[in-house]
Structure formats: C-alpha cells, structure tokens
C-alpha cells in the first residue's frame, strides 16, 4: 500500500528584531538568547537589526562576529547600523535598551535629562520604518517615561503595542517570596508590580499566591511583607550596582526575554505578566500614563484584569508611584509630541 506523502510544513517567515544598545552590557547578554530562539520560540527564524551609536560600532562588529560564530540555525540575517531608519526597518519587535545606565547614588529618573532625548527620534523612526505589526519594549531608564516619550512621537503605532519593562521587578519579587517561604520560585504566582520601575514601585504581595494559597497566609511575617520585602524589591537595582559596580545586565536580558514571551504566549491561569502599559484609567490610574500593571495575555491581545484587591496601604503606594510618574511626565513635556 502506498504511504501518503506528508504535507510539507511551511517555513515561518523570519521576523525582524531590533535591539538598540546592542554592544552594551545588556545587549551582550541578550542578542545570543534572541538569536538562539529563546525569545520568539524554537521554530521562528529571526533577522537581528542591531543599532548602536557611532563610537560603539567597532565593539558592535565584535558582537556580530561572535553571533556568526555561534552558527545559530534560526539567525537568518544580521544588520549592524547606527542609522535609525535602517535599524528599525521592518521590525516586528523593537527592544529599546540603548541609553546610559545610572551609577551609585543616582535614582533612575536622574537619567531623564541624558536619556530622554533618545526616545523621541526612535519613536518617529519606528512609526516611519518598522513593520505594521511592530511591538516595542522600552528598557532604557527611566523606562516608563522613556516609553511614554517614544509612544507619543509615534501616534501611528497603536498605544497597546508599547511596553516598558517591569518584569525584572516581578522576577525579583517572586524570588524574594519563594526564599522567604522556603519554596521553589515556580510555586509563587500572581505577584503584581504597580507603577514606575523605580524606588516608588509597589510589589504587591497581597494578591500573590504561594502553592495556590494567598502569600500572606503562607508567610506569617507580615511586618516583613510590608517592610523588608517591598524595600528589597524597590532597591534591588541599587543593591546590584553597589555590589557589581555596574547595573544588572544578565537578569535584565532574561527579563526582556520573559517580557516578550509574556505578550506572545497566553498567561497561565491564576498568574499575571508584569508590564508597564498605557493606562486606560484602570484602578483609577490617570489615563495615558505608561504604568506598571498586572497584565493577562491571550497570546495576541492583552488586558489589565479586574479584581486585584487594593487596601488602603496598597492604594497609598499606588498614589505615591502615580505621583512620581506624573512628575516625570511634567518634566519631559517638551519631548512629548
Ligand atoms: P551600557 O552602558 O552597558 O550599554 C548601553 C549601550 O547603549 C551602549 O553600548 C551605548 O553605546 C548604547 N547607546 C547609548 N545611546 C544610544 C542610542 N541613542 N542609540 C543606540 N544605542 C545607544 O548599559 P546597560 O547596562 O546595557 O543598560 C542599558 C539601559 O538599560 C540603562 O538605561 C539601564 O539603566 C537600563 N536598565 C533597565 C532595566 C529595567 O528593568 N527596565 C534593567 C537594567 C538596566
Ligand atoms: C535595575 O532595576 O536593575 C535597572 O533598572 C538598573 C538600575 O538602575 O537599577
């Protein structure tokens, strides 16, 4: 009997992924993960578009040589450039990392003056040259307000396509809760990160679960939950700078991979993805702010779910971080289109 011929499986079209600041610390930890398929999946070919400033082009060529030497089967194209239009050409994902990191003693918002100006031109180049499906993740600090600047300069790109990174905070919060409870990180779910990726963010333990039970019923040290836990997450970036003499890089790259996957894959039942997204007024947050919310994705679209309980303590924390984001927005008025 003749064996029926198998239908040929169509090859997926390669997706263009732009990474800015690709010769920097985070870039060096990130590009290999994207090229190996860890971000967009093991069947999705990628064309990397690595964007740098002119003085870093030599170092970027070295990164490109190493990428070549990895012989990643999924890496079907590689562009290195300092030209914004070329950098964002056809991009389905734009990962905006390139910018100056803070040093010890600085808050992230102290970077607004030096970094803010990068994001208007990048937003305009994305609107003009990126793919119709483009989605943008802003990592460069202060990432919420930099994302707001880029988004406001690209009104052609739907507001739902813009994200700023609070996933590293969520990963940190999960790790802290797991260590305190003496369980595996995989047992901790539904930690929300509200507001700014800054020392005012609110890592929300009250809605979190550990092995399916409310975190606050598993961890009975409630003083730690409201004190040491919140501060540890808020100050983790500064603690890493103090210890390493440089800001987090490998964990940031890992959180970038997690962030993108959390948009393109459905969120697990009972969990949320931490992403700073445009506010539509949910939980009384002013409309238009790029605000860290719990997000649920179905793999193609996302929403901010109802039902997170916020007591007076949590409401006050949200008020403080909202206030800071409003101040940052006020400070960059001239950069908003
Ligand atoms: P880095 O200094 O090691 O690298 C930054 C790179 O960006 C450099 O190679 C630089 O040449 C490049 N660059 C600067 N301006 C650019 C521009 N206009 N266009 C393209 N490239 C440009 O810094 P890093 O440690 O990789 O950190 C990058 C940014 O990410 C910093 O702002 C840092 O604070 C931020 N960060 C954010 C998070 C987060 O959770 N949101 C976590 C870690 C770091
Ligand atoms: C982090 O959270 O590690 C980064 O935002 C870097 C920083 O400045 O803290």
């Amino acid at each position: 009997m003749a064996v029926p011929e198998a239908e040929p499986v169509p090859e997926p079209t390669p997706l263009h992924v732009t990474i800015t600041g690709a010769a920097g610390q985070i870039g060096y930890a990130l590009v290999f993960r994207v090229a190996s398929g860890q971000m967009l999946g093991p069947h999705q070919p990628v064309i990397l578009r690595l964007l740098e400033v002119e003085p870093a082009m030599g170092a970027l060529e070295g990164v490109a040589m190493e990428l070549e030497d990895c012989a990643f089967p999924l890496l079907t194209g590689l562009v290195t450039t300092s030209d914004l239009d070329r950098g964002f050409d056809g991009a389905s994902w734009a990962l905006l990392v390139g910018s100056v990191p803070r040093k010890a003693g600085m808050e992230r918002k102290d970077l607004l003056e030096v970094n803010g100006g990068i994001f208007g031109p990048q937003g305009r180049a994305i609107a003009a040259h990126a793919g119709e499906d483009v989605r943008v993740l802003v990592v460069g600090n202060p990432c919420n307000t930099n994302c707001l600047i880029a988004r406001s300069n690209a009104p052609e790109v739907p507001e739902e396509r813009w994200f700023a990174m609070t996933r590293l905070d969520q990963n940190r919060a999960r790790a802290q809760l797991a260590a305190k409870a003496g369980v595996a990180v995989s047992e901790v779910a539904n930690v929300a990160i509200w507001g700014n990726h800054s020392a005012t963010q609110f890592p929300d333990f009250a809605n979190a679960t550990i092995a399916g039970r409310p975190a606050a019923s598993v961890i009975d040290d409630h003083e730690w939950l409201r004190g040491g836990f919140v501060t540890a997450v808020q100050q983790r970036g500064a603690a890493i700078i103090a210890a390493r003499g440089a800001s987090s890089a490998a964990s940031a790259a890992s959180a970038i991979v997690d962030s993108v996957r959390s948009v393109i894959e459905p969120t697990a039942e009972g969990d949320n993805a931490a992403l700073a997204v445009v506010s539509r007024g949910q939980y009384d947050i002013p409309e238009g702010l790029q605000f860290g919310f719990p997000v649920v994705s179905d793999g193609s679209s996302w929403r901010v779910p109802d039902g997170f309980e916020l007591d007076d303590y949590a409401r006050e924390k949200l008020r403080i971080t909202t206030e800071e984001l409003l101040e940052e927005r006020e400070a960059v008025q001239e950069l908003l289109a």
Side-chain angles (χ1 to χ4, degrees):
M1 198 168 59
V3 181
E5 264 183 44
E7 285 284 316
V9 182
E11 293 281 322
T13 311
L15 292 179
H16 293 250
V17 176
T18 301
I19 300 176
T20 72
Q25 288 201 95
I26 296 175
Y28 193 68
L30 176 65
V31 295
F32 302 96
R33 297 194 61 177
V34 178
S36 69
Q38 290 178 49
M39 188 174 86
L40 296 178
H43 305 295
Q44 178 57 62
V46 291
I47 296 171
L48 279 181
R49 311 189 76 82
L50 307 182
L51 182 70
E52 260 294 351
V53 288
E54 200 51 52
M57 288 309 287
L60 186 63
E61 284 316 315
V63 175
M65 286 158 73
E66 286 202 67
L67 273 167
E68 247 178 83
D69 295 350
C70 291
F72 289 122
L74 289 171
L75 184 62
T76 59
L78 178 58
V79 174
T80 57
T81 183
S82 60
D83 178 69
L84 286 184
D85 299 354
R86 188 151 181 260
F88 291 112
D89 193 24
S92 292
W93 273 97
L95 309 176
L96 308 189
V97 179
S99 51
V100 174
R102 67 173 163 154
K103 309 284 180 301
M106 293 170 77
E107 288 300 332
R108 296 181 186 94
K109 67 183 166 200
D110 298 335
L111 294 170
L112 256 190
E113 213 164 301
V114 45
N115 285 341
I118 294 172
F119 291 88
Q122 290 190 354
R124 290 193 286 279
I126 288 169
H129 298 281
E132 284 192 355
D133 60 340
V134 69
R135 283 179 280 195
V136 185
L137 176 69
V138 180
V139 177
N141 278 320
C143 61
N144 298 56
T145 298
N146 287 337
C147 186
L148 174 69
I149 294 168
R151 164 163 71 78
S152 91
N153 280 274
E156 302 86 343
V157 179
E159 292 182 324
E160 285 69 25
R161 307 268 198 85
W162 298 84
F163 307 93
M165 192 162 91
T166 48
R167 176 57 181 254
L168 180 53
D169 307 299
Q170 188 186 40
N171 288 349
R172 289 166 171 167
R174 286 180 70 194
Q176 293 287 325
L177 291 174
K180 183 76 174 177
V183 301
V185 168
S186 56
E187 300 284 348
V188 181
N190 216 31
V191 184
I193 302 295
W194 299 92
N196 204 0
H197 172 63
S198 78
T200 67
Q201 67 176 277
F202 176 46
D204 172 1
F205 49 85
N207 292 283
T209 57
I210 298 177
R213 294 170 52 207
S217 73
V218 177
I219 296 173
D220 49 21
D221 186 351
H222 291 184
E223 202 181 317
W224 176 81
L225 282 174
R226 286 179 175 230
F229 163 71
V230 170
T231 314
V233 179
Q234 290 175 333
Q235 295 295 339
R236 187 68 164 187
I240 289 166
I241 292 170
R244 233 169 69 81
S247 70
S248 64
S251 57
S254 198
I256 292 170
V257 170
D258 290 341
S259 299
V260 170
R261 293 183 71 96
S262 75
V263 174
I264 64 176
E265 291 176 356
T267 310
E269 188 65 33
D271 206 353
N272 79 79
L275 290 160
V277 296
V278 61
S279 169
R280 299 289 182 216
Q282 302 97 327
Y283 296 94
D284 299 328
I285 302 306
E287 285 194 31
L289 281 188
Q290 198 75 29
F291 195 88
F293 279 112
V295 163
V296 170
S297 174
D298 65 9
S300 53
S301 62
W302 58 263
R303 65 189 170 84
V304 174
D306 299 328
F308 275 69
E309 289 189 14
L310 298 171
D311 62 10
D312 288 349
Y313 163 84
R315 290 258 169 215
E316 175 59 9
K317 295 282 184 203
L318 261 66
R319 186 194 65 72
I320 292 168
T321 196
T322 301
E323 203 56 43
E324 183 180 47
L325 280 168
L326 289 170
E327 280 166 18
E328 287 185 19
R329 183 170 74 179
E330 193 52 41
V332 298
Q333 273 308 319
E334 77 284 2
L335 299 177
L336 303 177

